[in-house]
Structures are given as structure tokens and as C-alpha cells.
Amino acid sequence: TKLTTTAGFMFGKDSWSGLTWYNAPDPRPDYYRYLPSYSSNDYDEIRQIIIQNWQNDVNTRQIDWDHLYQINYLANLAGKQAAYIQENNVTKYHQFSLNSHLDKEVNDHISLNGGMNFSFYKANHYKEIMDMLGGNYWVDVDQYAERDFPGDSLIAQNDINNPNRIVHKGDKFGYDYDAHINSGQLWGQGNFTYNKVDYYAAVSLSDTWFWRTGNMKNGRHPNNSFGDSKHYNYLNYGIRGGLTYKISGRHFLTVNGIYKTEAPYFNNAFISPKTRDDVAPGLTSQKIYGGDINYILRYPWIKARLTYFYTQFRDGTEISSFYHDDYRTFVNYSLSGIDELHQGIEFGAEVKTTKWLSLFGVASVGNYIYTSRATGTVSYDNGSKPDTTSTVYMKNFYVPGNPQTALSGGFKINYKYWWIDLNANYYSNNWLDFYPGRRTEAAIANLGPGDPLITEITEQKELKGGFTMDCSIGKSIMINHKLFINLNLSVTNLLDNKDIQSGGYEQNRFDFTTRNISEFPPKYYYYFGRTVFLNISIRI
């Protein structure tokens, strides 16, 4: 019998920067109004000039920092607040965890495992001024609320407790709240080993509770932004089991299955934690069930595995926030009732052809799709209008984020403390993240059956896949049996293929009047080109 108990404490700070502005034009060069697609067909000459500038003038594709400083300088002369600043979105966090694990060998055939773990997490989320860009000061108010509620100075305040607060570099502004996420789990597993068959069964019980603490009293939501929110508690459970059938000492069949429930994530629970305590409608635990079947081959000269996997996800929730051009304000878009199916086949093999040369290959071909029509709820961040709800026709759309087909193969050489790896990779069946608003009845209203615009508006775009190669070479050196030096030089994307689209998303914009999808073109991410790493490690 063995009992192991561990405790840990972690703390840190993450931040990411961005630009914000007040009563000034959007400074980002890829803002849709600055792109060729925004020009009317009646002004083709202007569109061609914009295209030429994007292709040939590097300044068109970059932020004009001198211009931002100049605008702020003029604001200083007029005694006004800065028009542009650089902000930092900060997360300062700490977490305490406690884990205890028990192993018990009952006899030669039966062993038991069990344990408990607890986690207590708190994160302070806030925004601070990183750089004034030459401006004198900034007033902590919301410009969209000033526009939507003219004459009401209280509703525009980001913090009613400190109205019209003047902030400078390093000061907090905009939002400030704490996220509390605590959890505990009990689990147990029995393992049974015999000559021809091994099997196991496990159960778990967990409790997750979270809440939000607002440190600012928001003017748009004075009654549910300051102080502690309601505490949300989710009791969950899981069962899983598996079996291994030993065909022989070289051939095995394994089967695994699972059913469990999971509490929603904090970020997918609160609609807009920066401003208020409201949570997504119909918030519930997600249900996950599935399994896999494996054939495993083991010989001294070859190792291989073939797997079929199947997983269902039920009752998922996602939340995004963006500026809505039709509503002309910042909105929160929550999707609830998201169901997904992930299934596919994976294969991997390594063949040792000689003492120092091995060949390997892996393949994953999947089908990851949404299997439900989700419910989309749009809430105005400033509370100026009631929420609107619609059905999002996303059933049978592909789940974006990863290539659903991935292949790789190559060789490894390990000879007299030298090693060389070379592999080729192929990726495809990767899909663009889509804007749910284009998959609602409003997007295709008054279009007749069979109208080609329906397909053009609603279809999901596939990203461009492709072929890459990676290689690495290394050497291990031992000096006087005391000093060990490892050298490794690796090159990823050896062929410098920059055409592969690793991801992308549709802008959360759609012209419901013209229905011209080219007006707001998608944004894409591309693979890095050839990249070289040199690693040197010394061990004494």
C-alpha cells in the first residue's frame, strides 16, 4: 500500500497589449473600411489604387505610429484627453492545489487506485494604460454609452464609485474583476490482470464552484457589476472502463469507454465578466461520452497501432464579444446547446530496418462536426436594448481549429551518438471559424428557395492545406565520464512553404442589406516559413 500526497502553489502574471481610441478613426490598417473590398463597384479606380498600395507600400500595411502621436499632440494643445493609447489586458493569478493518491496491491491479479484533489484559484483581471502615446491623460468612461445615452453622464462611467476618473500610464481603467474557481474531486479505479484479459473500471465525483467579484461599479450595470456575484455550483460524475484482450504476446486488442459530465468554464459562463454578473442562458454541465478500439502490434523490429475513436459532446456553450456594425455598439454573442461529434481513425508504425535506421509513419483522418442547431443570444453590452435570440443553423458544419487530416512519415538514424531525423508532413481538411450571425434566418430573409446567394452566404470555407518537411541533427558528447554535452540543430518547414493556412476566422460582420460577403473578407493565419533552432545542453 502506497500513499502519496503533494501540495503546490503557483502564481504569475499574463498580459497582452492592444490599441484603444476615443472619438477617433480605427488605427488598424486591416480595418474593413480601409480594404479594397469596402469600395463600391462604382469606384473601381479607387479600389485598384488601394490594392496597389497594399501590395507595394509597406506603410499601408503597418500602423502609422507617427500619426497617432501627432493626433495626441494636437489634443494636448486643445486641452483634451488623448485620442489613442496603448493598453495592457492583465491577468494576475494564484492557485493552491492539494492531491492525494493511494495505490493498493490486493494480490497478483487485482490492484486498486484512488485519490482526491482540490484546487483553489483566483485571478484578478484588469486593464491598465501601457503607453499614453504622447497624450496627457485619459478619462475612464465608455464612449459607446456616451453616444447611446446622450446627456446621461452616470451611465457612461466605467466605475460609478470613481466618476470621470483621470488615469495615466500604469493606472487601471475600463474593467477590474476577480474570477474565483474552486474544485474538488474523488476518484477510484480497479485494475484486474489475467493471462488473456486485462480490464479496469473507474468512477469519479467532482464539485466545481465559481463566482465573480467586481471591483468596479459599471454605469451600464450598476446593480450587478460590483461585489460578489451568485456562486454557481456544479456537481459532476464520470465512469469509464476498458479491456485488453491478449491475442498473443505480440498482438493485442483494447477497448475503452467513458461517460462524464463537466462543469462549464468560467469564460463560457459569464456573458461579459468585464462589465457584469450575467451568465449565459441555459448554462449547464457538458455531457461527454465515447470510446475507442485499438489493435496493437509489438515485435522487436516493428511497433504499430491502429485506432478508431468516437466522442460525443452535448450542451456546450461559447461566448464571444465584438462590435456589431448593424447595432452600432459592442455586443456579447452567446451560443448554447452546442453538440459535437468527433470520430476518426489513427494509425502509427515504426519499423527498425537496421540497428541504426528506423522508418516511421503516422496518419490521422477525422470527422469533427457540429450535430445540433445552437441557440444564439445577442446582448447589448451597454444594456441599451433587450437581448435577441435566434436559431443558428450550424448543424453538420465542421469544427474549426485543427486539420482533420494529418499525415507524417520519415526516418530516424541513431549511430555512434549521432542522430538524424527527417520527416514529411501533409495537412488538409481544416476549416474556417465561422460567424454564427450569417447562419440565421435573418441572413437569408426574403431569398427564394434555390437562390445561389443562400449557399454563398451560409457555406463554410475550407482552409488551404499543404506539404512541409522537418529535419534535425544532433550529437551527444561525453567528456571524462563527468561532463555531458548535447547539441541539436533542427529546421522546421524546411521547404519554406508559406501558403498553408493554419487557421482563420470570418469577421463578426455581415451586411444584412446588400448580403455581399466580400465586403468583410475573412482573416487567415499562415504557417511560419523556414525556422531554425539550435539547442545546447550541458549536464554535470
Side-chain angles (χ1 to χ4, degrees):
T1 303
K2 181 180 180 182
L3 177 66
T4 304
T5 301
T6 61
F9 182 75
M10 176 180 69
F11 63 94
K13 176 181 177 180
D14 298 331
S15 65
W16 56 272
S17 65
L19 290 173
T20 191
W21 49 96
Y22 179 84
N23 286 340
D26 193 320
R28 298 170 297 179
D30 61 347
Y31 179 51
Y32 75 94
R33 291 177 180 268
Y34 306 152
L35 300 178
S37 54
Y38 186 71
S39 300
S40 168
N41 291 330
D42 298 330
Y43 299 94
D44 185 65
E45 184 177 343
I46 295 177
R47 179 189 284 113
Q48 293 304 318
I49 292 175
I50 297 174
I51 291 174
Q52 290 295 322
N53 288 341
W54 265 93
Q55 292 176 341
N56 302 311
D57 182 10
V58 66
N59 294 316
T60 300
R61 305 191 296 267
Q62 302 293 330
I63 294 173
D64 189 346
W65 295 96
D66 289 340
H67 178 70
L68 304 188
Y69 274 91
Q70 178 67 16
I71 294 298
N72 281 347
Y73 175 72
L74 295 175
N76 294 343
L77 293 179
K80 298 180 179 180
Q81 76 168 73
Y84 297 98
I85 60 171
Q86 191 173 4
E87 65 182 21
N88 240 358
N89 294 269
V90 181
T91 301
K92 293 179 67 175
Y93 56 88
H94 63 261
Q95 180 178 16
F96 173 76
S97 59
L98 179 68
N99 300 275
S100 191
H101 182 272
L102 178 68
D103 295 301
K104 172 66 176 178
E105 295 288 341
V106 179
N107 54 43
D108 290 341
H109 301 289
I110 301 174
S111 65
L112 302 175
N113 314 110
M116 62 179 68
N117 57 69
F118 299 94
S119 173
F120 303 92
Y121 174 87
K122 180 181 178 181
N124 180 212
H125 300 263
Y126 61 90
K127 188 163 63 171
E128 67 182 6
I129 296 182
M130 181 180 179
D131 196 315
M132 291 296 301
L133 302 181
N136 282 339
Y137 67 93
W138 184 267
V139 183
D140 190 18
V141 297
D142 183 270
Q143 61 175 313
Y144 301 120
E146 282 186 324
R147 182 195 62 199
D148 294 340
F149 303 95
D152 190 338
S153 60
L154 193 64
I155 204 169
Q157 301 299 322
N158 287 325
D159 186 6
I160 294 178
N161 295 331
N162 297 281
N164 295 316
R165 188 166 63 99
I166 304 299
V167 290
H168 303 88
K169 181 177 180 179
D171 292 339
K172 293 182 179 181
F173 77 108
Y175 66 87
D176 181 6
Y177 70 93
D178 296 326
H180 306 265
I181 308 170
N182 300 330
S183 63
Q185 183 184 47
L186 295 172
W187 63 274
Q189 178 171 314
N191 307 287
F192 307 87
T193 304
Y194 298 95
N195 291 335
K196 293 293 290 185
V197 176
D198 299 340
Y199 59 93
Y200 71 93
V203 295
S204 65
L205 182 67
S206 64
D207 191 23
T208 302
W209 63 103
F210 55 78
W211 70 96
R212 172 192 179 274
T213 300
N215 302 316
M216 290 183 175
K217 192 172 185 179
N218 189 279
R220 277 78 69 204
H221 310 280
N223 299 321
N224 62 339
S225 58
F226 187 69
D228 286 352
S229 71
K230 172 185 174 181
H231 289 217
Y232 295 89
N233 186 274
Y234 293 88
L235 187 65
N236 294 283
Y237 64 94
I239 55 175
R240 62 188 178 95
L243 180 147
T244 299
Y245 177 67
K246 306 167 190 175
I247 303 172
S248 70
R250 304 294 187 186
H251 303 266
F252 307 86
L253 284 176
T254 69
V255 179
N256 300 282
I258 188 172
Y259 179 87
K260 66 175 181 177
T261 61
E262 284 188 351
Y265 291 111
F266 183 95
N267 289 339
N268 285 331
F270 288 92
I271 291 177
S272 178
K274 294 179 179 179
T275 59
R276 61 189 186 278
D277 295 343
D278 295 341
V279 297
L283 192 65
T284 185
S285 290
Q286 188 177 40
K287 291 80 178 175
I288 303 171
Y289 60 90
D292 59 74
I293 302 173
N294 306 270
Y295 169 69
I296 301 170
L297 178 67
R298 292 178 182 168
Y299 280 92
W301 60 276
I302 182 172
K303 298 177 182 178
R305 177 192 290 265
L306 178 65
T307 300
Y308 168 74
F309 61 90
Y310 178 98
T311 310
Q312 288 269 11
F313 301 84
R314 302 288 188 188
D315 297 324
T317 302
E318 292 181 5
I319 295 178
S320 58
S321 301
F322 55 90
Y323 184 84
H324 199 296
D325 286 274
D326 275 5
Y327 299 158
R328 299 189 69 244
T329 192
F330 208 74
V331 301
N332 310 113
Y333 201 124
S334 66
L335 287 177
S336 58
I338 302 174
D339 298 342
E340 299 179 26
L341 167 63
H342 295 196
Q343 63 178 335
I345 297 174
E346 294 178 342
F347 175 76
E350 182 174 351
V351 180
K352 197 169 184 64
T353 58
T354 69
K355 184 178 179 180
W356 48 269
L357 175 64
S358 299
L359 306 178
F360 67 89
V362 294
S364 177
V365 180
N367 181 43
Y368 314 141
I369 60 173
Y370 294 104
T371 57
S372 67
R373 293 172 175 174
T375 299
T377 302
V378 179
S379 58
Y380 292 70
D381 200 54
N382 58 19
S384 58
K385 292 183 181 179
D387 296 352
T388 61
T389 300
S390 59
T391 299
V392 179
Y393 294 87
M394 54 190 280
K395 186 176 181 179
N396 295 325
F397 274 45
Y398 292 100
V399 178
N402 289 292
Q404 300 192 19
T405 298
L407 312 173
S408 182
F411 65 84
K412 302 177 181 179
I413 296 175
N414 195 330
Y415 183 73
K416 291 186 177 181
Y417 302 105
W418 284 91
W419 65 89
I420 300 174
D421 294 352
L422 179 68
N423 62 283
N425 317 290
Y426 175 76
Y427 309 96
S428 68
N429 200 17
N430 195 6
W431 296 85
L432 191 71
D433 198 357
F434 56 91
Y435 171 41
R438 273 178 51 184
R439 282 77 190 179
T440 61
E441 290 185 7
I444 58 173
N446 302 320
L447 295 179
D451 192 317
L453 260 182
I454 295 177
T455 300
E456 188 176 344
I457 292 169
T458 60
E459 71 176 353
Q460 186 182 13
K461 298 293 186 182
E462 184 175 3
L463 298 173
K464 187 188 302 181
F467 176 83
T468 66
M469 291 187 69
D470 305 320
C471 71
S472 65
I473 182 171
K475 172 67 173 175
S476 181
I477 303 171
M478 180 175 63
I479 302 175
N480 295 330
H481 298 280
K482 295 181 180 180
L483 181 65
F484 300 87
I485 301 174
N486 286 317
L487 306 174
N488 180 252
L489 176 67
S490 62
V491 182
T492 60
N493 198 357
L494 183 65
L495 303 179
D496 201 30
N497 185 352
K498 300 178 183 178
D499 294 329
I500 301 177
Q501 294 170 333
S502 59
Y505 60 93
E506 293 175 353
Q507 297 190 58
N508 293 320
R509 291 183 166 99
F510 179 66
D511 192 328
F512 288 86
T513 303
T514 66
R515 297 189 172 96
N516 177 16
I517 64 172
S518 299
E519 189 173 343
F520 308 112
K523 297 189 177 183
Y524 299 98
Y525 304 113
Y526 289 83
Y527 271 52
F528 281 112
R530 185 183 300 111
T531 308
V532 180
F533 299 91
L534 176 62
N535 297 302
I536 303 173
S537 64
I538 300 174
R539 181 166 56 92
I540 300 175

